[in-house]
Amino acid sequence: MEQAIGNKRTLEVCFSPILYPYKLIDKDYVVIIVDVLRATSTICTALDNGAKAVIPVAKVEDLKQYQGNGYIIAGEREGLKLKEADLGNSPFNFTREKVEGKTIVITTTNGTQAVEIAKGADDIIIGSFLNLNAIGNWITEQDKNVIILCAGWKNKFNLEDTLFAGALVEYLSDSLNFHFNLSCDSAIAALDLWTIAKEDLLDYVEKTSHRHRLKKMILDDVIEYCFTPNVTQVIPAFKNGKFVDIAENKIYK
Amino acid sequence: MEQAIGNKRTLEVCFSPILYPYKLIDKDYVVIIVDVLRATSTICTALDNGAKAVIPVAKVEDLKQYQGNGYIIAGEREGLKLKEADLGNSPFNFTREKVEGKTIVITTTNGTQAVEIAKGADDIIIGSFLNLNAIGNWITEQDKNVIILCAGWKNKFNLEDTLFAGALVEYLSDSLNFHFNLSCDSAIAALDLWTIAKEDLLDYVEKTSHRHRLKKMILDDVIEYCFTPNVTQVIPAFKNGKFVDIAENKIYK
């Protein structure tokens, strides 16, 4: 399954979409987008439960054109379900019964905005703890530079996306056939924070600001699930305006 | 010396000037600017060695108006001394013999840009490991919210400024009369990274990208000095366009 890769590639972490224009890598790269709470965890769950595709849109008004055409409309702002939407942004909404065979149109506060800005990449892949090793393995098979783009919270740094970035950096550094430069301080910091947090991940997450934001809105029922590694093998990749599972399409699996 | 403070204040860390517009705090705040390698370490050293004031300017062309008028002109771009300047940006250049009684005009890649964007604050203070406890004590005597603004490297996150932010957060959290909210994930991350790094600070710094950048240019002779805590009691504060030592002016000391 795995191929030997000769070139040394660069692995970089962006802590916020607003830092993305200052990235080091400018060619021959894939972007891993991460919004652990909750957009990228939700997209992984939807595809794992048999959704055909997930179309990300940045603006609420972009949802209109899809309404009444057989799509499932999903979206939130500030963590709350939009009135225009069939579903909110909790991964628990995207059950097999609801999504199998369907195409979902989704807009979220942070996640879909990150997709917009990453459009110069060779591949845009959705990452979450749920598919950590699956995308780790996929990356090791590419001969590409890698940018892990944390969606953050309204352009601010957040810990939960950073922890995922650290977990992925660790997974890749353990991979013998993937040699990369860690010349990026963000990647070093993410790895070190992950090293502290992984000893008791949920306890660490307890102190983050977004955890408290969700708790306040009684949306924190998803925390444990969103921090569970490797519940799915999906590799959501952005193809022709949609996220489709390239693992399921036998490109990877 | 210390006064009891009743109100709970917010302590926030910005990892880059580009993240500053997304800060939480919008009133009643002081900004601590940090550019450990090397601008803020240099400003602390210059004032400690008797310089009267340090005028920060953002652009190289702004230096012209000061030339030939008794000022010491200092500046670098990309870590190298400008041809227009008398001194570069190494703190070792700013000896008592050279700077005592003089006003210095300085422009640097990252530090002076940070000063420009922080101008809405009640007070702008220069922070470095060299004056860590001095500004920690000064902050505990103010009844203000606090933003620690890391100058970063060309708007990118960097570890050395983050470590200083973490050290200052730790110092303040140890202070019994300064109660603050740590609702900011950046402050939590900075504190955790500092907790890892402080066990062997120079060894930790060895792996940062800027360390390697300076090494390449043989400008890394300042590293050990710039990470030495508490060699001076100066509190450089921005007053009427200049950084002056408010400790030396008996406002604090």
Side-chain angles (χ1 to χ4, degrees):
Chain A
M1 190 181 82
E2 295 187 352
Q3 300 146 20
I5 292 167
N7 294 337
K8 197 160 185 174
R9 294 296 191 169
T10 298
L11 173 60
E12 187 172 2
V13 174
C14 272
F15 283 145
S16 156
I18 206 79
L19 289 166
Y20 189 78
Y22 304 97
K23 64 188 167 59
L24 297 166
I25 301 165
D26 61 358
K27 61 175 182 177
D28 210 15
Y29 62 99
V30 296
V31 173
I32 313 297
I33 292 180
V34 52
D35 185 5
V36 168
L37 295 174
R38 299 171 297 169
T40 61
S41 301
T42 295
I43 293 171
C44 289
T45 303
L47 291 176
D48 190 48
N49 281 333
K52 223 162 86 183
V54 179
I55 301 173
V57 300
K59 294 175 192 160
V60 178
E61 53 263 37
D62 297 337
L63 292 175
K64 277 184 194 162
Q65 61 182 301
Y66 297 98
Q67 282 172 324
N69 292 314
Y71 295 97
I72 294 178
I73 310 291
E76 52 88 4
R77 281 295 179 274
E78 310 280 340
L80 297 175
K81 183 177 100 64
L82 292 168
K83 64 178 180 350
E84 296 87 347
D86 305 310
L87 300 175
N89 195 24
S90 166
F92 293 158
N93 295 148
F94 295 74
T95 57
R96 186 164 290 275
E97 292 68 37
K98 284 187 182 157
V99 304
E100 192 164 30
K102 299 279 177 68
T103 294
I104 296 157
V105 182
I106 193 165
T107 182
T108 69
T109 308
N110 311 295
T112 53
Q113 327 281 356
V115 175
E116 279 295 308
I117 66 156
K119 283 188 174 167
D122 296 345
D123 281 297
I124 303 176
I125 305 290
I126 288 292
S128 71
F129 282 99
L130 307 177
N131 68 342
L132 173 62
N133 289 6
I135 57 167
N137 292 337
W138 180 84
I139 289 169
T140 60
E141 295 181 359
Q142 317 302 309
D143 183 17
K144 298 281 183 185
N145 299 304
V146 177
I147 301 172
I148 306 170
L149 172 56
C150 300
W153 178 257
K154 296 183 177 181
N155 288 319
K156 289 174 62 69
F157 170 90
N158 81 22
L159 268 170
E160 63 271 15
D161 296 341
T162 302
L163 294 179
F164 171 79
L168 185 53
V169 170
E170 181 186 62
Y171 190 82
L172 294 174
S173 68
D174 286 348
S175 164
L176 288 177
N177 70 336
F178 189 85
H179 305 284
F180 53 81
N181 296 306
L182 260 194
S183 58
C184 159
D185 276 6
S186 305
I188 297 168
L191 179 57
D192 283 343
L193 289 166
W194 167 245
T195 305
I196 298 174
K198 70 177 177 181
E199 299 303 324
D200 189 346
L201 189 53
L202 292 179
D203 184 61
Y204 192 88
V205 169
E206 182 65 36
K207 68 180 175 177
T208 67
S209 59
H210 196 50
R211 167 76 172 85
H212 292 284
R213 191 177 302 114
L214 290 179
K215 197 173 186 174
K216 220 165 153 183
M217 297 189 289
I218 321 172
L219 294 170
D220 64 335
D221 58 325
V222 299
I223 304 275
E224 194 173 340
Y225 173 72
C226 290
F227 284 93
T228 307
N230 307 319
V231 302
T232 169
Q233 293 292 312
V234 295
I235 317 229
F238 195 66
K239 304 284 175 194
N240 304 314
K242 297 173 186 182
F243 282 104
V244 292
D245 181 8
I246 57 172
E248 210 166 68
N249 289 348
K250 318 289 179 202
I251 299 172
Y252 166 73
K253 241 179 200 170
Chain B
M1 191 181 81
E2 296 186 352
Q3 299 148 20
I5 292 167
N7 295 336
K8 197 159 186 175
R9 293 296 190 170
T10 297
L11 173 60
E12 188 172 0
V13 174
C14 272
F15 283 145
S16 157
I18 206 79
L19 289 166
Y20 189 79
Y22 304 97
K23 64 187 166 60
L24 297 166
I25 301 165
D26 61 358
K27 61 176 182 177
D28 209 14
Y29 63 99
V30 298
V31 172
I32 312 298
I33 292 180
V34 52
D35 185 7
V36 167
L37 296 174
R38 299 171 297 169
T40 61
S41 300
T42 296
I43 293 170
C44 288
T45 303
L47 291 176
D48 190 48
N49 281 334
K52 223 164 84 183
V54 178
I55 301 174
V57 301
K59 295 175 190 159
V60 177
E61 54 262 38
D62 298 336
L63 292 174
K64 278 184 193 163
Q65 61 182 301
Y66 297 99
Q67 282 172 323
N69 291 313
Y71 295 97
I72 294 179
I73 310 291
E76 52 88 5
R77 282 294 179 276
E78 310 281 340
L80 298 173
K81 184 177 99 64
L82 291 167
K83 63 178 180 351
E84 297 86 345
D86 306 309
L87 299 176
N89 195 25
S90 165
F92 294 159
N93 295 149
F94 295 74
T95 57
R96 184 164 292 275
E97 293 67 39
K98 283 187 182 156
V99 303
E100 191 165 31
K102 300 280 178 65
T103 294
I104 296 157
V105 182
I106 194 166
T107 182
T108 69
T109 309
N110 310 295
T112 52
Q113 326 281 356
V115 176
E116 279 295 308
I117 66 155
K119 283 189 174 168
D122 296 346
D123 280 297
I124 302 176
I125 304 292
I126 289 291
S128 72
F129 282 99
L130 308 176
N131 67 342
L132 174 61
N133 289 5
I135 57 167
N137 293 336
W138 180 84
I139 289 169
T140 60
E141 294 181 359
Q142 317 303 308
D143 183 16
K144 297 281 183 186
N145 299 304
V146 176
I147 301 172
I148 305 170
L149 172 56
C150 300
W153 177 258
K154 296 183 176 182
N155 288 320
K156 289 175 63 68
F157 170 89
N158 81 23
L159 268 170
E160 63 271 16
D161 296 341
T162 303
L163 294 179
F164 171 79
L168 185 53
V169 170
E170 180 185 63
Y171 190 82
L172 294 174
S173 68
D174 286 347
S175 164
L176 289 177
N177 69 338
F178 188 85
H179 305 284
F180 53 81
N181 296 307
L182 260 194
S183 58
C184 160
D185 275 8
S186 305
I188 297 168
L191 180 57
D192 283 344
L193 289 166
W194 167 245
T195 305
I196 297 173
K198 70 178 177 180
E199 299 303 324
D200 189 345
L201 188 53
L202 291 180
D203 184 61
Y204 191 88
V205 169
E206 182 64 36
K207 68 179 175 177
T208 67
S209 59
H210 196 51
R211 167 77 172 84
H212 294 283
R213 192 177 301 115
L214 290 179
K215 197 173 187 174
K216 220 164 153 184
M217 297 189 291
I218 321 172
L219 294 169
D220 64 335
D221 58 325
V222 299
I223 304 274
E224 192 173 340
Y225 174 73
C226 289
F227 284 93
T228 308
N230 307 320
V231 302
T232 169
Q233 294 293 312
V234 295
I235 317 232
F238 195 65
K239 304 283 176 196
N240 304 313
K242 298 172 185 180
F243 282 105
V244 292
D245 180 8
I246 56 173
E248 208 167 71
N249 289 348
K250 317 289 177 200
I251 297 172
Y252 166 73
K253 241 180 200 170

